[in-house]
């Protein structure tokens, strides 16, 4: 499958009359965007704002981050099965607006949402501090149940990202890159002397409000399956997660998966990037055994030489991670796992809830228990009401002088397993 990606470098985002993209400046009709969000009857009100890198702005509680994209040629559409029709995506031409994102915020599950600081020491722990963020703080109608509220905000973010992305349809990209994965036998013939490597992406699926969607289907309902890597770039996988911020992969992460990007960079040079195997993370032992068995079976069927596995979440999913690792290794396939760590504030606790001698190659996303001090910032988009309850915070997190003491768990994208933080092998 072959996908042409057209990239637009966004220099600034402003509010104005009518929405348009002109010479790297994106103008958004705020009233039009608000009307789009309020089409959902579960949302009572929305406040739309802009946060730029370096501004004294704190955004919290963050639900999701989404990069605007649009399909301009080929089968399927952006966010298939959710925004566009259920049709296989990942081919043709897709445009992406780089350097910006849509950020959804709201008190959905306050203790599980995140913080984005646009400046100060907190900014270094989230990749989203380097983006121009169009923020939407959505408030539900009083009768809306929590899961209904979550869906409404999730859909609002996707609709907004698709709306903004569509403004680039008739423009000329600043850069074009082509990504291609050949069918199985063609790929093997094209690179006969290169090791065959696949990416096993573990997706969070451990209960209500801990959801990921593939072509609109909750991942809890699937068994491990194969995707072309380019399908991710069209939004075939989206986040529906209300889990600890540093342990959740936002939709932005799925669209810009750095493991996929690095494997494509090496494709045809040092390895043959064969594809992506998606698998879920389960609650019950039998389900963990079933999914890890299927994942290892698919790896064997693809005749792989190596696999990279990334994990989403911590604790219970550590068992899924190690099961996948040891079963794939048992098939004679070399495995590298990417994970975070919860080693305690002193770094002396056991980092993972499970382990196995087969896990000999590990890439760490850092210790999520590291304590950081955040200075008071001039503006808050959203509310600070949940900082003391948020994962990584405590009842004494907010000090009188406005300083906030938290662990890295609060930062959206801080130490997530897809590697947006500095990674080190061990």
């Amino acid at each position: 499958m072959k996908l042409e990606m057209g990239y637009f470098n966004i220099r600034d985002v402003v509010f104005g009359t009518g929405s348009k993209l002109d010479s790297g400046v994106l103008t958004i009709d705020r009233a039009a965007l608000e009307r789009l969000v309020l089409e959902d009857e579960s949302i009572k009100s929305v406040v739309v704002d802009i946060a730029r890198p370096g501004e004294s702005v704190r955004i919290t509680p963050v639900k999701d981050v989404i990069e605007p994209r649009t399909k301009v040629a080929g089968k399927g559409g952006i966010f298939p099965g959710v925004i566009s029709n259920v049709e296989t995506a990942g081919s043709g031409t897709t445009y992406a607006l780089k350097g910006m994102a849509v950020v959804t915020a709201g008190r959905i599950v306050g203790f599980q949402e995140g913080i984005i600081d646009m400046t100060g020491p907190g900014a270094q722990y989230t990749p989203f501090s380097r983006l121009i963020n169009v923020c939407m703080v959505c408030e539900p109608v009083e009768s809306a149940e929590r899961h209904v509220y979550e869906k409404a905000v999730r859909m609002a973010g996707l609709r907004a990202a698709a709306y903004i992305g569509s403004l680039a349809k008739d423009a000329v990209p600043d850069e074009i890159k082509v990504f291609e994965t050949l069918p199985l036998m063609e790929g093997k013939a094209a690179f006969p002397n290169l090791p065959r490597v696949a990416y096993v992406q573990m997706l969070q699926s451990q209960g209500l409000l801990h959801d990921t969607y593939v072509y609109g289907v909750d991942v809890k309902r699937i068994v491990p399956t194969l995707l072309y890597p380019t399908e991710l770039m069209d939004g075939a996988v989206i986040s529906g997660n209300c889990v600890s911020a540093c342990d959740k992969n936002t939709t932005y992460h799925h669209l810009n998966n750095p493991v996929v990007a690095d494997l494509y960079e090496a494709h045809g040079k040092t390895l043959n990037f064969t594809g992506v195997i998606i698998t879920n993370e389960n609650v019950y032992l039998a389900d963990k055994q079933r999914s890890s068995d299927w994942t290892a079976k698919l790896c064997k069927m693809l005749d792989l030489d190596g696999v990279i596995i990334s994990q989403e979440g911590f604790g219970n999913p550590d068992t899924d991670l190690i099961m996948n690792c040891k079963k794939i290794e048992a098939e004679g396939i070399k495995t590298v796992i990417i994970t975070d760590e919860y080693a305690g504030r002193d770094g002396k606790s056991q980092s993972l809830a499970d382990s196995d001698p087969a896990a000999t190659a590990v890439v760490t996303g850092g210790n999520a228990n590291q304590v950081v001090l955040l200075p008071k910032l001039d503006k808050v988009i959203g509310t600070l009401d949940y900082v003391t309850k948020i994962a990584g915070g405590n009842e004494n997190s907010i000090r009188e002088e406005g300083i906030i003491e938290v662990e890295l768990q609060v930062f959206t994208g801080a130490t997530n397993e897809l590697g947006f933080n500095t990674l080190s092998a061990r």
Side-chain angles (χ1 to χ4, degrees), residues 365-425:
N367 180 18
N369 293 132
Q370 180 180 331
V371 176
V372 293
L373 292 176
L374 309 177
K376 182 179 180 179
L377 299 185
D378 295 337
K379 180 178 178 180
V380 174
I381 297 177
T383 177
L384 295 176
D385 290 350
Y386 296 95
V387 168
T388 57
K389 303 180 181 69
I390 206 165
N394 59 69
E395 61 182 7
N396 299 314
S397 284
I398 300 180
R399 301 178 180 177
E400 290 184 2
E401 58 269 34
I403 294 175
I404 300 176
E405 178 184 295
V406 291
E407 294 180 1
L408 281 186
Q409 297 173 54
V410 305
F411 281 98
T412 301
T415 58
N416 76 73
E417 294 81 354
L418 286 186
F420 277 91
N421 203 22
T422 302
L423 298 179
S424 59

